[in-house]
Amino acid sequence: MKLVIASLLAGCAAAFAPASQSGRPSTAARESVADLESLAKKLNPLVGFYDPLDLSGKEFWGTSNEETIGFLRESEVKHGRIAMFAFVGYIVHANGIHFPWAMQLDGTPFPTVSSAPEAWDSISDAAKLQIFAFIGFLEFYREVACEKHYMKGGKIGEFPAFDAKVIPGGALNYYDPFGKNKNMSAEQKERGLRKELNNGRLAMLGIFGFLSEAKIEGSVPALKGVISHYDGEFMAPLAKSILPSL
């Protein structure tokens, strides 16, 4: 989705960047449906466990149910983080806020626009492809560099640190750059993860509210007259398709 990608310009790495191995509560064993039901009550006692499509009971790609749950849990955390960046990014662009320096090496400035999708449209396709490549690298690194995969009982939402073994001289720890959270208790970390899940879910609803109102004015009454109309195409990330015409 164009809006999500546009918002990632401000922090695509952090959207995928959860914890270092010491900064996130551990998922010591593969989770079951019973674990999800227990977590759901902690996240929202009023709604509780809600799975109308019975996704938690499936076995994707010939894997076990526990592995499928690991995949779904990881997906929710990741999409929630992206949605939180998207929600904030939309608000930033809707208020005409942008960096003062040039956006591209040719001197093209950051545009003053009324929405995040318009900001994304102003970026050249060459720059967009570089963003996609970087996101792809982060995805690949997360899959292969963790001690234990999230579908095999590993930590949900973990992102391995870029240390000197990977990048000469090391690199910023995306989850805890200042080392603040490593001193948190296990209870504090667990509570923080629940907050992140709830905030991510709310952000996913919020960003789709922005999208709906931008396309169909009045579809979200609370946002009528607040969100500017968008004439572009959310699902077309590039100005010119790289796929052959069908």
Side-chain angles (χ1 to χ4, degrees):
M1 181 180 297
K2 293 173 68 178
L3 172 61
V4 172
I5 300 172
S7 301
L8 289 178
L9 295 176
C12 57
F16 293 97
S20 62
Q21 294 177 3
S22 61
R24 179 68 67 185
S26 173
T27 303
R30 300 180 187 181
E31 293 178 294
S32 64
V33 175
D35 294 319
L36 296 183
E37 293 174 348
S38 176
L39 176 63
K41 293 179 181 179
K42 296 177 182 178
L43 292 171
N44 192 325
L46 296 178
V47 177
F49 184 69
Y50 183 72
D51 183 17
L53 299 179
D54 191 32
L55 294 178
S56 61
K58 306 299 183 184
E59 296 180 354
F60 293 169
W61 311 295
T63 62
S64 68
N65 177 248
E66 289 79 7
E67 289 174 313
T68 299
I69 289 175
F71 171 80
L72 294 172
R73 291 271 283 119
E74 173 76 12
S75 297
E76 180 183 26
V77 170
K78 186 176 295 181
H79 283 79
R81 288 168 178 161
I82 296 173
M84 285 187 278
F85 272 100
F87 186 85
V88 174
Y90 203 112
I91 294 174
V92 168
H93 288 298
N95 285 278
I97 301 172
H98 58 78
F99 293 117
W101 53 80
M103 179 175 66
Q104 299 186 186
L105 294 177
D106 62 4
T108 301
F110 283 95
T112 299
V113 296
S114 59
S115 69
E118 292 177 359
W120 177 256
D121 289 341
S122 68
I123 302 172
S124 68
D125 281 359
K128 293 175 182 177
L129 292 174
Q130 292 177 56
I131 295 170
F132 295 154
F134 180 62
I135 294 173
F137 163 73
L138 293 175
E139 286 286 274
F140 172 78
Y141 186 71
R142 192 272 180 266
E143 291 290 321
V144 303
C146 291
E147 291 185 2
K148 182 181 289 187
H149 195 269
Y150 51 83
M151 293 179 68
K152 302 294 185 181
K155 299 177 184 178
I156 298 300
E158 178 188 17
F159 193 90
F162 290 119
D163 57 24
K165 296 179 181 178
V166 180
I167 297 178
L172 187 67
N173 181 327
Y174 290 143
Y175 169 68
D176 190 16
F178 304 109
K180 177 182 177 181
N181 294 342
K182 67 180 181 180
N183 297 322
M184 294 170 61
S185 66
E187 182 180 359
Q188 289 175 315
K189 294 174 184 177
E190 185 64 31
R191 186 166 58 249
L193 181 57
R194 292 199 300 269
K195 290 179 180 179
E196 181 183 30
L197 285 169
N198 277 331
N199 289 336
R201 291 174 178 180
L202 184 60
M204 285 187 272
L205 294 174
I207 199 61
F208 271 99
F210 286 168
L211 290 173
S212 298
E213 180 61 29
K215 267 299 182 183
I216 307 174
E217 295 180 22
S219 59
V220 184
L223 296 177
K224 186 175 182 180
V226 178
I227 300 298
S228 300
H229 181 74
Y230 175 62
D231 291 321
E233 176 54 62
F234 291 129
M235 300 304 291
L238 300 176
K240 182 177 181 182
S241 176
I242 60 176
L243 301 176
S245 300
L246 300 179

